[in-house]
Amino acid sequence: MKKGAKLYEGKAKKMYLTENPELLIQEFKDSATAFDGAKKGTIRGKGAINNQISAHLFRYLESYHIPTHFVRTLSDREMLVKKVEIIPVEVVVRNVVAGSLAKRLNEEEGRDLPEPLLEFYLKDDALHDPMITEEEILERGLATAQELEKIKRMALKVNAVLKDFFARRKLRLVDFKLEFGRHGGEILLADEISPDTCRLWDAETGERLDKDRFRRDLPGVVEAYREVHERVLGGPVV
Ligand SMILES: Nc1ncnc2c1ncn2[C@@H]1O[C@H](COP(=O)(O)OP(=O)(O)OP(=O)(O)O)[C@@H](O)[C@H]1O
Ligand SMILES: [Mg+2]
């Protein structure tokens, strides 16, 4: 697949046009940002690691009949994806109290939630991605009621499938962020699923194996990403 013009460069990825107007090349970068872009850095090898983890997880989700934008891997840091019209809402699924939820509850991180929690954030850099309600999503016309129901169902199914997948690899899926888009009358899971977008804790030691190491200046950021890569692609340790 020939790489065409660069369509968009974000903080973690670049999107390129291809000769097929329905397809894009998603290239994963080593750069990392946190705290609304205030902290910037590089995680050496992250692009390739996240590309491969995302590819594996998209393929796995497809096997559970969850439609995704993934078409195929092109190189260690590139994948071919279906071009979607991104729904400008970040969907967060939480299984464990952590991050901004811990702050809001004024609670330590680590409590298992009785049921998964869904949250929605508006993708709008100028507004700093504020949290929004389902009613606001409908009121702003970001998605139809039907689309929102589908997105919620898909997000909870992704959670059920991935929670088990990670548990078998001795990883606790604390929370994660998803993006969805429209393509040919369908809603597809888009963007990426990686240690940049998931909180993953070692099931035994509780060690953080995700972007929180970068956010909090903890040592071993690259090693943590490599560890997740090994557990995801290597299959369950039995
Ligand atoms: N299949 C797709 N088709 C079109 N756009 C996509 C697709 N998958 C992901 N995107 C969008 O491509 C961009 C990927 O780049 P990146 O994740 O680096 O952006 P970002 O810096 O996080 O900024 P943004 O706030 O736009 O997400 C995102 O804007 C994402 O919403
Ligand atoms: Mg992004």
Side-chain angles (χ1 to χ4, degrees):
M1 186 60 56
K2 254 219 332 265
K3 215 165 172 174
K6 186 163 75 181
L7 180 65
Y8 181 79
E9 176 157 3
K11 296 178 285 283
K13 300 183 290 296
K14 296 180 200 172
M15 312 298 289
Y16 292 91
L17 297 171
T18 67
E19 56 227 9
N20 183 335
E22 305 251 313
L23 301 176
L24 295 177
I25 293 171
Q26 174 162 259
E27 183 190 312
F28 288 73
K29 309 198 290 183
D30 285 354
S31 32
T33 63
F35 310 118
D36 205 12
K39 182 178 162 84
K40 290 189 176 68
T42 300
I43 302 173
R44 197 171 295 278
K46 171 171 86 74
I49 290 171
N50 282 0
N51 181 42
Q52 288 159 29
I53 292 173
S54 283
H56 192 91
L57 295 177
F58 282 137
R59 250 188 239 114
Y60 187 70
L61 291 170
E62 292 272 4
S63 80
Y64 283 85
H65 309 289
I66 295 164
T68 80
H69 71 159
F70 179 76
V71 179
R72 64 174 189 270
T73 299
L74 294 174
S75 73
D76 46 317
R77 53 177 71 238
E78 295 168 311
M79 60 168 70
L80 189 66
V81 299
K82 292 175 187 158
K83 183 178 186 186
V84 303
E85 183 192 339
I86 286 282
I87 294 168
V89 173
E90 297 196 335
V91 180
V92 171
V93 186
R94 300 179 179 275
N95 296 305
V96 178
V97 173
S100 63
L101 179 64
K103 283 219 180 83
R104 226 153 63 225
L105 295 173
N106 189 26
E107 184 179 323
E108 292 273 299
E109 295 189 303
R111 177 171 61 88
D112 269 316
L113 293 161
E115 292 295 330
L117 261 181
L118 275 180
E119 294 172 355
F120 305 97
Y121 294 85
L122 178 66
K123 272 172 68 71
D124 187 327
D125 286 342
L127 294 178
H128 312 287
D129 297 354
M131 196 180 202
I132 55 170
T133 62
E134 288 182 47
E135 289 74 16
E136 277 176 86
I137 292 173
L138 300 178
E139 198 278 327
R140 283 168 170 267
L142 304 176
T144 66
Q146 215 185 8
E147 287 173 334
L148 186 55
E149 282 314 306
K150 176 161 275 176
I151 286 168
K152 284 163 57 181
R153 236 181 306 122
M154 283 173 74
L156 290 173
K157 184 167 174 186
V158 168
N159 183 50
V161 171
L162 290 189
K163 216 172 111 175
D164 256 47
F165 173 92
F166 283 120
R168 288 194 297 276
R169 287 151 178 87
K170 302 274 183 286
L171 290 167
R172 191 173 178 203
L173 179 60
V174 171
D175 55 41
F176 56 96
K177 182 271 291 180
L178 301 174
E179 293 185 25
F180 295 89
R182 304 179 184 96
H183 177 93
E186 235 196 331
I187 299 285
L188 302 182
L189 178 62
D191 207 54
E192 66 174 291
I193 310 176
S194 72
D196 271 11
T197 62
C198 301
R199 281 198 174 87
L200 293 163
W201 297 355
D202 182 276
E204 261 129 49
T205 65
E207 193 186 1
R208 291 163 199 278
L209 298 172
D210 56 54
K211 197 169 135 184
D212 272 346
R213 297 200 81 83
F214 170 78
R215 290 191 187 96
R216 298 174 186 203
D217 290 318
L218 296 172
V221 182
V222 174
E223 290 75 9
Y225 277 69
R226 284 215 195 106
E227 179 64 29
V228 172
H229 180 268
E230 195 175 308
R231 291 196 204 180
V232 166
L233 279 90
V237 188
V238 269

